[in-house]
Amino acid sequence: MYRQHHAFVWRNARRLGAPDDAVDDATHEVFLVVARRLDEFEGRADLRTWLFAITLHVVRALRRKEWTYTRRLQRYADLKRVELQPDPQHDAVAAQVLRQMLGRLDEKRCTVFVLSELEGMTTQEIARELGLRPGTVDSRLRAARLELRSMIERDARNRRSAAP
Amino acid sequence: MTPEEELDLLVKAERAEAPSRVHMERGFERLQEALGANVPALDIGAVDPTQLGASTGVGKLVTLPWVAKFTAVVGVVATTGALVGQVHSNSEPASGAPASAAVPAAAAVPATAAVPAPTAVPAAASAPAALEADSAAPRVAGGVSTKSATESSARPALSPERPLAESVDAAEAPSDRATAVPEAHEPSVKAFDDAPAGQATPPQTGFDAELVLIKRAKAEFDRGRDDLARGWLREHAQRFPTGVFAAERDGLLVLSTCRANPTAGQAVAQAFLQRYPQSPLATRIRRSCGFQ
């Protein structure tokens, strides 16, 4: 099970907001929980959705410690402000940019967006697994895309206005 | 490019992200250890997938805009780079030769363990001990240096622009590949290996991520697990080809290669010594690879 689902948990921990340097820890915690609670899994939900839910819980727990991280990060940022241009052609950077934007999304929208756009689940599957109406899934997905597009536009505007 | 197209590009890039095999194996090992030691799992309350779509309970992640994060990374690297450069000049051998432009400032990073760590980068205080210059290293039998020149020259040539990791890969015995070759894109790793459980989430910076990779490589190297060490070093080479710790990475690769395959090791050691003649690891490499 670990080998089969490690990648799934790892990538979704990042998407749900685990900082890159804490993804290993988050993944580790998820499988610790799985090992302890496997007997609780009754097969009502898809195994991957169950794993996704555990991952979300674990990442939330990590977020509670996030303030220290962000505060320190802000201090670093104040040390030297250098404008970096994102390069969407560069995959690793592009992926990181998207994850940063997901972190700014509403959690419900983020969850639907990740399951749909990144994990390839259908509206029906997501609705069934999350106990939502298909219309709700679709509207959250649309809202997520709209918000992400707005972030892209806003960042582009900020870059333009910051340019000398 | 429209925002819609840009979003699609970002999504495509994120879809391609995946952890490496080495990463998974290390995680599995860690999980087995934790389960064996009966380490309690994080208390996350009841897990009901159908609640994913409903209440959130916890506030949203407070995340700085990505621009600020990238800026932060650059700030940290720039700051520590300056410090490291300072340390480097203090740690050069008695010859007094100034740090050459061709030698990255990172070559001196080992010495950061001996100076107060910058407050912004606490992890530097625990920089790998093995990176200390000329620390005690097992001396390779002198017979190594008697290997024929033909054997050495049969190894791949090294270009200054080419990360040493690639050259070492080419020089390795095939048996090494089965266990240590990372896949497409490598994940980042957790920082602060030694931090006690429950401590704040470590910062996400290029410097810290680099340091963790090097520390892990060093730990595996010290345990004699060269294949895993090279896995971490390759990850570093892929993600930070010209990173702050590039010289340390290459130095560890050389030491590891010398231990695994002295003949191939001598070829890459020679290239390393040409590229980083002032490296604090130079003497140790000369010794371990049979040049002395």
Side-chain angles (χ1 to χ4, degrees), chain B residues 102-129:
Chain B
V103 180
V109 165
T112 52
V115 299
T119 53
V121 191
S126 57

Side-chain angles (χ1 to χ4, degrees), chain B residues 92-104:
Chain B
E92 281 302 310
S95 68
S100 135
V103 180

Side-chain angles (χ1 to χ4, degrees), chain B:
Chain B
M1 188 185 304
T2 67
E4 189 69 33
E5 288 168 339
E6 190 168 340
L7 179 57
D8 288 341
L9 257 182
L10 300 181
V11 165
K12 190 178 162 199
E14 172 57 24
R15 277 191 193 143
E17 294 280 287
S20 71
R21 183 169 161 267
V22 168
H23 226 72
M24 187 186 76
E25 295 301 337
R26 288 287 295 144
F28 189 58
E29 229 174 76
R30 185 181 169 197
L31 183 68
Q32 282 180 315
E33 282 169 17
L35 290 173
N38 213 19
V39 173
L42 193 68
D43 183 12
I44 58 168
V47 177
D48 180 2
T50 60
Q51 292 307 304
L52 285 177
S55 67
T56 55
V58 178
K60 279 180 63 180
L61 171 65
V62 182
T63 312
L64 293 175
W66 62 267
V67 171
K69 288 202 177 183
F70 282 116
T71 305
V73 171
V74 171
V76 170
V77 171
T79 309
T80 53
L83 173 71
V84 159
Q86 173 69 31
V87 172
H88 184 55
S89 62
N90 294 338
S91 66
E92 281 302 310
S95 68
S100 135
V103 180
V109 165
T112 52
V115 299
T119 53
V121 191
S126 57
L131 298 179
E132 286 167 17
D134 302 329
S135 63
R139 191 179 273 268
V140 173
V144 171
S145 60
T146 64
K147 293 281 182 187
S148 73
T150 319
E151 280 183 65
S152 296
S153 61
R155 297 294 165 187
L158 297 162
S159 126
E161 291 78 26
R162 187 182 183 196
L164 204 55
E166 293 174 17
S167 310
V168 173
D169 277 353
E172 275 174 6
S175 60
D176 286 329
R177 294 181 174 275
T179 52
V181 179
E183 285 155 13
H185 185 77
E186 302 293 330
S188 291
V189 294
K190 77 180 181 73
F192 298 11
D193 277 353
D194 305 327
Q199 271 203 354
T201 304
Q204 170 193 350
T205 69
F207 181 92
D208 284 342
E210 276 198 59
L211 181 63
V212 170
L213 287 171
I214 295 296
K215 278 177 70 180
R216 288 192 164 178
K218 174 61 179 50
E220 298 297 357
F221 176 78
D222 286 345
R223 288 181 200 142
R225 303 200 290 200
D226 288 324
D227 52 347
L228 285 174
R230 282 197 288 269
W232 293 117
L233 294 171
R234 281 194 202 95
E235 178 171 343
H236 185 278
Q238 283 178 1
R239 294 180 52 212
F240 309 103
T242 57
V244 178
F245 293 107
E248 281 63 38
R249 174 194 68 218
D250 289 353
L252 278 173
L253 270 169
V254 170
L255 288 170
S256 167
T257 309
C258 283
R259 190 159 68 185
N261 183 342
T263 308
Q266 280 206 327
V268 290
Q270 211 154 24
F272 178 88
L273 293 171
Q274 278 169 7
R275 195 184 303 176
Y276 307 112
Q278 303 297 328
S279 166
L281 287 170
T283 308
R284 182 175 170 187
I285 285 174
R286 281 191 200 98
R287 214 165 47 206
S288 298
C289 299
F291 286 104
Q292 288 179 359

Side-chain angles (χ1 to χ4, degrees), chain A residues 25 29 61-62 64-65 67-68, chain B residues 30 42 195-202:
Chain A
D25 286 344
E29 288 295 344
L62 284 174
R64 294 183 193 119
K65 301 167 184 168
W67 69 273
T68 309
Chain B
R30 185 181 169 197
L42 193 68
Q199 271 203 354
T201 304

Side-chain angles (χ1 to χ4, degrees), chain A residues 41-164:
Chain A
F41 178 67
E42 296 168 348
R44 282 180 303 179
D46 178 80
L47 178 62
R48 295 211 312 169
T49 319
W50 188 61
L51 287 172
F52 190 89
I54 294 173
T55 306
L56 181 60
H57 281 66
V58 165
V59 171
R60 277 179 189 165
L62 284 174
R63 286 175 188 177
R64 294 183 193 119
K65 301 167 184 168
E66 188 75 9
W67 69 273
T68 309
Y69 160 66
T70 48
R71 206 172 60 174
R72 289 171 63 193
L73 196 59
Q74 184 59 57
R75 200 165 62 226
Y76 299 161
D78 291 340
L79 291 176
K80 188 171 183 179
R81 296 207 167 272
V82 178
E83 183 71 22
L84 287 185
Q85 300 294 327
D87 177 6
Q89 308 296 336
H90 190 299
D91 284 356
V93 175
Q96 190 172 2
V97 167
L98 181 67
R99 290 195 300 276
Q100 303 282 358
M101 295 198 305
L102 290 177
R104 290 149 66 185
L105 268 188
D106 170 83
E107 192 177 83
K108 289 183 233 176
R109 292 175 185 174
C110 175
T111 299
V112 170
F113 184 85
V114 167
L115 290 175
S116 170
E117 297 279 349
L118 299 174
E119 287 300 329
M121 287 173 70
T122 65
T123 299
Q124 295 299 333
E125 284 171 331
I126 297 170
R128 188 177 62 241
E129 297 295 340
L130 303 191
L132 298 171
R133 285 183 297 121
T136 307
V137 172
D138 283 338
S139 74
R140 284 184 188 177
L141 186 57
R142 271 196 306 276
R145 282 196 73 94
L146 196 65
E147 206 174 327
L148 291 170
R149 277 206 309 267
S150 304
M151 286 183 206
I152 290 172
E153 284 170 333
R154 207 162 42 240
D155 283 337
R157 265 201 310 275
N158 289 343
R159 286 200 303 274
R160 277 196 300 272
S161 63

